[in-house]
Amino acid sequence: MIYSHLSRYWRFNVIVCAMLSASIVQSAQYFEKKVSMLLKDVPENPKCFAEERKDFTCFWEEDEERAGSVDQYSFTYTYQNEKSNRCPLRTLRAVGGKRLFVCHLNRTQMFVQMDIQVHREEMLIFNRSLLVELVFLLDPPANVTVSRPGQQGQLNVSWVPPPLKYMDDSMMYEVSYATADSHMWQVEVAKASSKMILRGLQSGTNYKVRVRVKLDGISYNGYWSAWSDPVYMETLPEELDLLIVSLTIIISLILVVLSLTLLLYHRRFLVKKIWPNIPTPDGKFQGLFSVYGGDFEEWLGQSNGGLRLITAVLSSEESPSSLEVLSEFSLLLSSPPLPPKASRALISGRENDRNGKKGMNGRQQLEKGDSAPTEGWRAPQHDQWLMGCLRALHQDSSQSSLLESQDAYVTLNANNYSNDDHLNDILEETSPLGVLFASRKTVSCESHSDLGSVQQSSGSGRLSSQSSFEYPNHAWVPKGPGYTYMAVADSGVSMDYSPMSRADDIGKMVIYANDYKNEIPAHRRPFLPRQRPVHEDDS
Amino acid sequence: MEFPRLLTLLLIVLEWTRPGLLSPLRPICDLRVLDHFIKEARDAEVAMKSCREGCSLSESVTVPQTRVDFDVWEKKIALEKAQEVQIGLWLLKQALSLLRTSVTNTALHGHIDSSIRNLLSISAVLRSLNIQEFTPPDSATGLEGTWTVSSSTDLLQVHVNFLRGKVRLLLLDAQACQQDVS
């Protein structure tokens, strides 16, 4: 029994000794830290600080060579209105060949001025006045703990304040944190509280946190303590915010629906843009590619090519160009007649009879085989000019002037005609000039009586207004008033249909350009007494 | 409709004419009030230190001792502490009033006036904490725990130290505030 008591007592002693030694070691460490800090930051001598409520320590540093023994120094302190006291000194070795002289007091008076004097062999070396409650240098906060609250990017930090009675509410703390691998510390200040929440942290990152303490300077004051040992903690990993995810899904669904609606609405437009309809001539030349492999001559020969061509031209969406051959008299006399199909082809429908006029435009009666011209021709001035040109071309001709002869001519107009009506009209013979003037109103963009005019689509837009007037059933879609004229020089074998641009080479070849209103330069107009320009009448 | 209005009017009138029992002061436990006074006293001390002329005490004054030994202080009973503080406040009021008449520098008058006002406010705070008031004896000299100062800087320094020390410790220890302390 005694043995058990003894053993227990012994164990207790051992534990107490261990704790004491640990605390002594720790306080010694703290003391060294404080000494070094004060040596660095405080200029006055001696350097003094208060640690606890009653402890007070003063020290100064001297070089080893110049330092005397402890006995040579005297440390004297005097409170206001009281007698002076002496403080026992002790000496310590410091780094760098220095010696520390330390005075430690166990009881102090606060809120009263303290005068300190240090003498070395009757000689005053230091003199300082201070108040003890204004030179606190505390130990760093203990038990710094960091925990994770339930929220993202936050950490809870708590610590135990230094055990100083009456001074709890006078303390302020600095919490410093950084990511584990960086040295960029951020600082937050807390006053008179022993915990803090760090916000705005990155998710899923390891942070280190440390705390230090100081008295706030109103009633008590002092220096910043050393930093506590850093504590490491990782923040919560990032998780998807449910609200953001659901909102993203909803918005993307809405956008998809909107885009689909838009696509469907403009389906045809988009399809045309992306997949444009490449026009092929298959539709207009039936059997040309499928049967004859593209051999146009054969196709023409083998089929009712002319009629088919007319039909195709008439039924196409685009207005076919009109080719107007004003005079074929020379051709008829000197050469075999045009192949019927070719001539028919040239006579493609023209829209001259909306108003019941007939035959203003050239028709050709090639089948008749005589030189009687089919019809008169309008008398735009340029027609006269054209006729003159043709005349010039056919100088060897023994024919009378084109002007007086009723020449047969063929016009290809850029109109959509109904097949039957216009074919009849085309084949009919009329007096040219009378019909011309009578049928003013049927002036259309195509120049009906022009000599070798080929109406082609060109740029000017004056056509459209008149055309709508002229052709109330809107069957005709004008393509443009520009005419390109070419004389049909028929060698009996082929016809030259080469189109040219407007007014390019007048006189060079038999290419004539003309406006919608059939205006031609004045100098080119041959004189024709009865002729009146159609366009004048139309105005 | 008429009756509620009449009743309301009656209640209001009765409230006004309630028998004039002053409701007890709410205890002022927030020490930030005192901290504010301490800051102003410090400003006055600094201003006085930089004063060159027209800022001297005409005569010596009695001021309370400001030193605090925690061991000794803790052993004192509440009544002793209260007495020390109340007497000290009274002494300081006398001294500051004298200073106010002695100092001719007008820049300091504001500081001294605010210091006197703050002392009165502190007395009110102590009253709210039910701290006993003490009427000092007629002769201030010879009181225990007093000093005599003859310079204005010393006086203001004593003033600051007294507020920071004893007054604050007394307020911290005040019984009326103990239940608030967590």
Side-chain angles (χ1 to χ4, degrees), chain A residues 192-445:
Chain A
S193 89
S194 60
K195 54 188 170 199
M196 175 185 264
I197 299 178
L198 298 173
R199 296 177 212 271
L201 306 175
Q202 299 172 13
S203 306
T205 335
N206 207 9
Y207 277 93
K208 51 189 178 189
V209 182
R210 57 184 188 182
V211 187
R212 67 177 181 180
V213 64
K214 178 181 176 288
L215 288 162
D216 62 0
I218 300 176
S219 276
Y220 306 93
N221 206 348
Y223 311 101
W224 278 110
S225 72
W227 287 108
S228 64
D229 291 331
V231 176
Y232 292 85
M233 177 58 69
E234 191 162 336
T235 50
L236 285 174
E238 195 165 341
E239 56 185 35
L240 284 177
D241 193 0
L242 191 62
L243 182 65
I244 290 175
V245 168
S246 54
L247 278 178
T248 309
I249 289 173
I250 289 170
I251 288 173
S252 53
L253 278 175
I254 290 171
L255 284 175
V256 164
V257 166
L258 277 177
S259 55
L260 277 177
T261 313
L262 212 64
L263 275 174
L264 287 173
Y265 188 71
H266 293 290
R267 186 181 54 229
R268 286 190 198 159
F269 176 73
L270 285 173
V271 165
K272 262 195 209 171
K273 281 288 175 186
I274 297 170
W275 212 271
N277 204 10
I278 302 173
T280 57
D282 277 350
K284 299 183 188 158
F285 302 92
Q286 289 155 6
L288 170 60
F289 292 101
S290 55
V291 178
Y292 297 97
D295 191 348
F296 190 69
E297 284 186 0
E298 205 176 309
W299 175 76
L300 278 179
Q302 294 295 328
S303 62
N304 297 331
L307 191 59
R308 278 197 198 163
L309 184 62
I310 290 170
T311 317
V313 169
L314 290 181
S315 62
S316 69
E317 288 182 0
E318 297 127 3
S319 317
S321 300
S322 62
L323 173 65
E324 192 168 306
V325 177
L326 289 179
S327 170
E328 278 211 28
F329 66 94
S330 58
L331 301 172
L332 289 171
L333 291 179
S334 61
S335 61
L338 289 171
K341 59 180 178 293
S343 58
R344 294 280 179 115
L346 296 175
I347 303 176
S348 64
R350 164 192 338 168
E351 203 272 356
N352 56 0
D353 278 336
R354 307 275 169 153
N355 314 336
K357 307 299 190 327
K358 295 191 186 284
M360 275 192 308
N361 308 325
R363 309 195 194 138
Q364 177 173 5
Q365 194 60 265
L366 293 174
E367 281 101 6
K368 294 190 181 170
D370 58 10
S371 66
T374 51
E375 56 287 336
W377 49 294
R378 298 216 190 137
Q381 291 170 337
H382 67 285
D383 293 338
Q384 311 304 317
W385 169 68
L386 286 169
M387 291 184 71
C389 288
L390 262 187
R391 211 179 311 137
L393 282 173
H394 301 285
Q395 284 175 0
D396 55 344
S397 163
S398 60
Q399 288 284 349
S400 56
S401 68
L402 289 169
L403 201 61
E404 297 164 5
S405 66
Q406 293 181 335
D407 294 328
Y409 54 92
V410 175
T411 55
L412 294 171
N413 291 330
N415 297 325
N416 293 329
Y417 302 135
S418 62
N419 293 346
D420 297 332
D421 296 337
H422 295 291
L423 278 179
N424 294 332
D425 295 332
I426 286 166
L427 297 173
E428 204 175 340
E429 268 190 293
T430 56
S431 77
L433 293 178
V435 172
L436 266 177
F437 295 119
S439 64
R440 285 200 323 251
K441 278 184 95 179
T442 63
V443 123
S444 59
C445 56

Side-chain angles (χ1 to χ4, degrees), chain A residues 460-476:
Chain A
S460 60
R462 285 180 292 171
L463 197 55
S464 47
S465 58
Q466 290 209 357
S467 66
S468 61
F469 168 72
E470 298 293 334
Y471 309 109
N473 56 356
H474 299 285
W476 170 61

Side-chain angles (χ1 to χ4, degrees), chain A residues 53 82 109 111 217 219, chain B residues 42 66-67 69 74 164 168:
Chain A
R53 257 181 347 145
E82 288 186 21
Q109 292 183 12
F111 307 107
S219 276
Chain B
R42 247 192 347 218
T66 59
R67 64 161 182 257
D69 190 335
E74 281 171 353
R164 286 193 300 127
R168 199 170 200 277

Side-chain angles (χ1 to χ4, degrees), chain A residues 53-54 80-82 107-113 131 133-134 165-166 169-170 217-220, chain B residues 31 35 38-39 42 66-74 147 157 161 164-165 168-169 172-173:
Chain A
R53 257 181 347 145
K54 292 172 278 189
Q80 194 175 13
N81 293 344
E82 288 186 21
R107 289 187 67 169
T108 55
Q109 292 183 12
M110 297 200 180
F111 307 107
V112 67
Q113 188 161 325
L131 286 105
E133 76 279 0
L134 299 182
K165 205 174 167 187
Y166 305 123
D169 56 342
S170 298
I218 300 176
S219 276
Y220 306 93
Chain B
L31 285 175
D35 289 346
I38 292 168
K39 286 180 193 168
R42 247 192 347 218
T66 59
R67 64 161 182 257
V68 172
D69 190 335
F70 280 117
D71 290 338
V72 172
W73 178 263
E74 281 171 353
W147 289 332
Q157 192 183 25
N161 291 338
R164 286 193 300 127
R168 199 170 200 277
L169 289 169
L172 271 175
D173 274 344

